[in-house]
Amino acid sequence: MNAARFGERELDRALAHWVARRSGSLLLARAAFAASRGEGQGHACAALGEDPTFDAADLAALRAHPWVGEGAHFTPFVLDEWRNFYTWRNFRHETRLAELLRERALARTLPLAAATLAADVGELFAGSEATATAWQRAAVAAVPGARLFVLTGGPGTGKTTTVLRMLLMLLRHAAACGLPAQPQVALAAPTGKAAQRLARSLALGTAALRASLPPGAAWCELLGHIPTQAQTLHRLLGFDPREHRHTFGAAAPLPADVVVVDEASMVDLALMRQMVESLRPQAVLLLVGDPGQLYSVEAGSVLGDIVAACGENALPAELARRLRAVTDAVVDAPSDAAPLAGQVLTLRHVWRAGGGLRDALDALRRGETAGFEALLDGADAALRWRDCGDAAAVRAHAQAWVTAEHELFDALLDRRADPRATLARLHAAQVLCALRDGPFGAAGINRAVTEALARRGGFDPRDEWHHGRPVIVTRNDYARGLYNGDLGVALDGPQGLRVWFEDGGANLRSFSPRALPAHETAFAITIHRSQGSEYDRVAVVLPPAVDHPLLSRELLYTAVSRARHGAELWGTRAALRAATAHRVRRHGGLRERLR
């Protein structure tokens, strides 16, 4: 991400000048500038109540201005009861989304008896340890009758495993849940990469569950109705790039009965409103994600706000009573529980990442800097620290990375390489950078890795294209079906150099390098671009400047959580402490409106 996003933009200044000229108010121009600049930083509004440059008299004058309203009817700007200053567009996105989510939450029913829940959940989790799967079982039992369900948890907590069983419950009890006899299920994610991973994970989970069930079990037939394809949210909503609008929305609902959105932390305020507004009243929306990760690039922190508004694993008394037939882990919520209580559940047991990685992620969630540093200095090989304070050090570490990960790089240089196997290899190891440019950024490390690899592979590092070059698409190309975040690899073959991509299913596609949309070399990518991906091992590169605006706990957590088995950090201790100490806080009123 470009650090300029965190400073003034030409757009911000242009809006302020326009407002001053047309309204005659320098005060309103300052507020408009603050709102526009805040949106560039990911905020839904400007929190003027926390801004010392706006005093009580300024806020009173803004409320009295004819261009500023309280939201009951259209005005160019809105100053709400919490002294948040919005553009009308963002105010409507936030308030409409809150209305839609509350309506869905309040429409839930409890259509199944406790005995039915216990029997079905027992079959779906047969052979698994009851304590470890307690909240997975609770989520599967709580989803029938919900019109909105939010499932959160860190890496390796079994979110996809749980979603598969939730879908099976909805399919089996479709009629009781107010759904058609054979509900149409749609799988989606914010990026093509995340959509592919969702489809792949569900396919693996389906095969594993089928193998564990008794032959002829009723669940086996239902497994055949689990989708094998997933798509981006924009594709699901029918985005038209020529008209820059979506086909599906409030006036034209989606024809899906159950919609699963993975990596929901990446979905911004406007897109989430569009998604929820496109659903038919009886449709079920399952949002899945990890609120500890980075928020969306655009305005909003929707998943985090939903979880914060509800509280972790709070259950209304009646639902809690029913779920005790499934697991004894549940507790009653207070009598004034939020409307979404019982429809936002967090998985806690970690199945995949063990040892240092698991403990490191726990420490990062809690903001325990000392505990995280102690793990870096410990004996667990899954987590390593590489001191790296200048350009020469980061270059040396990049070259050492090529040597340490020689199996991956040798496979990339192999002229006999099979495209499918090579693409799969790309998930073995990845360098992740906070920055895009500079020696500590993805561009600088890509140059260092390319030079080190050129010596091994005998090609000219100045050549843009060479056998084994991984690339990541940075701009959507709807005509070719290539999307921002798609990962490919260049391989020489009978047709010359072609760039190979997965198509989201079982097939591969190849393109001439000249036919690709905007792209970059992908030996190293930014942490933001890595969201929705997993790798066996990652190297995380932090900028040395302790006051860099990108350094945050969420950034570090997102990067480390991409690793399945091992992570190493390159940086300075000062930058590490700055990152773990700083939490991203986005201004907006969604969580208050959901309460």
Side-chain angles (χ1 to χ4, degrees), residues 10-196:
E10 185 60 37
L11 173 64
D12 309 331
R13 292 189 289 271
L15 176 63
H17 291 155
W18 185 89
V19 169
R21 187 170 63 252
R22 297 296 296 269
S23 72
S25 170
L26 292 179
L27 174 63
L28 183 60
R30 281 203 298 126
F33 175 84
S36 180
R37 184 185 182 192
E39 183 172 351
Q41 297 171 351
H43 302 294
C45 60
L48 298 190
E50 302 176 17
D51 188 336
T53 65
F54 290 87
D55 59 22
D58 290 333
L59 296 177
L62 284 171
R63 291 192 188 279
H65 197 283
W67 283 26
V68 181
E70 297 181 350
H73 55 81
F74 171 77
T75 50
F77 302 100
V78 173
L79 185 58
D80 73 5
E81 59 189 296
W82 298 291
R83 296 175 294 176
N84 293 325
F85 188 82
Y86 295 82
T87 62
W88 174 259
R89 178 192 60 193
N90 279 349
F91 179 78
R92 282 303 295 155
H93 285 330
E94 185 177 280
T95 54
R96 180 60 178 148
L97 177 60
E99 291 169 5
L100 292 166
L101 293 177
R102 287 173 62 92
E103 286 172 5
R104 289 193 159 272
L106 295 172
R108 86 157 300 148
T109 60
L110 298 173
L112 302 182
T116 301
L117 294 175
D120 286 355
V121 171
E123 291 176 3
L124 288 171
F125 286 93
S128 62
E129 204 275 313
T131 302
T133 59
W135 285 107
Q136 289 179 282
R137 292 168 184 252
V140 173
V143 74
R147 294 289 168 258
L148 167 71
F149 201 95
V150 183
L151 183 70
T152 74
T157 52
K159 293 189 293 294
T160 307
T161 297
T162 308
V163 167
L164 172 60
R165 287 157 175 78
M166 293 168 81
L167 291 175
L168 290 173
M169 284 290 282
L170 291 172
L171 291 172
R172 184 167 195 169
H173 300 288
C177 295
L179 298 172
Q182 293 188 343
Q184 181 177 339
V185 180
L187 307 178
T191 67
K193 182 169 45 180
Q196 288 178 10

Side-chain angles (χ1 to χ4, degrees), residues 571-587:
T572 65
R573 289 298 174 123
L576 175 66
R577 290 164 190 156
T580 54
H582 176 225
R583 284 204 78 173
V584 174
R585 179 187 169 217
R586 289 201 165 172
H587 300 312

Side-chain angles (χ1 to χ4, degrees), residues 4 20 44 81 122 170 186 262 289 295 306 335 348 417 430 459 468 565 571 580:
E81 59 189 296
L170 291 172
D262 198 13
Y295 298 135
I306 291 174
S335 58
R348 295 166 171 163
Q430 182 69 59
F459 61 86
H565 305 304
T580 54

Side-chain angles (χ1 to χ4, degrees), residues 33 47 85 108 115 174-175 185 187 275 308 320 366 380-381 437 443 456 505 509 528 551 565 569:
F33 175 84
F85 188 82
R108 86 157 300 148
V185 180
L187 307 178
M275 173 72 253
R366 296 190 297 268
D380 195 317
D437 300 313
R456 298 166 69 97
R509 297 177 298 154
H528 277 85
L551 285 176
H565 305 304
L569 272 66

Side-chain angles (χ1 to χ4, degrees), residues 325-337:
V326 174
T327 172
D328 59 4
V330 303
V331 294
D332 290 342
S335 58
D336 60 347

Side-chain angles (χ1 to χ4, degrees), residues 190 232-236 238-246 473 475-484 486 509 511 517:
T232 65
L233 269 175
H234 282 302
R235 289 189 70 185
L236 176 67
F239 182 70
D240 185 337
R242 294 165 298 182
E243 299 187 14
H244 206 74
R245 67 179 184 86
H246 294 94
V473 174
R475 185 176 301 163
N476 293 335
D477 185 333
Y478 294 93
R480 292 180 173 84
L482 291 173
Y483 301 96
N484 189 3
D486 285 353
R509 297 177 298 154
F511 300 87

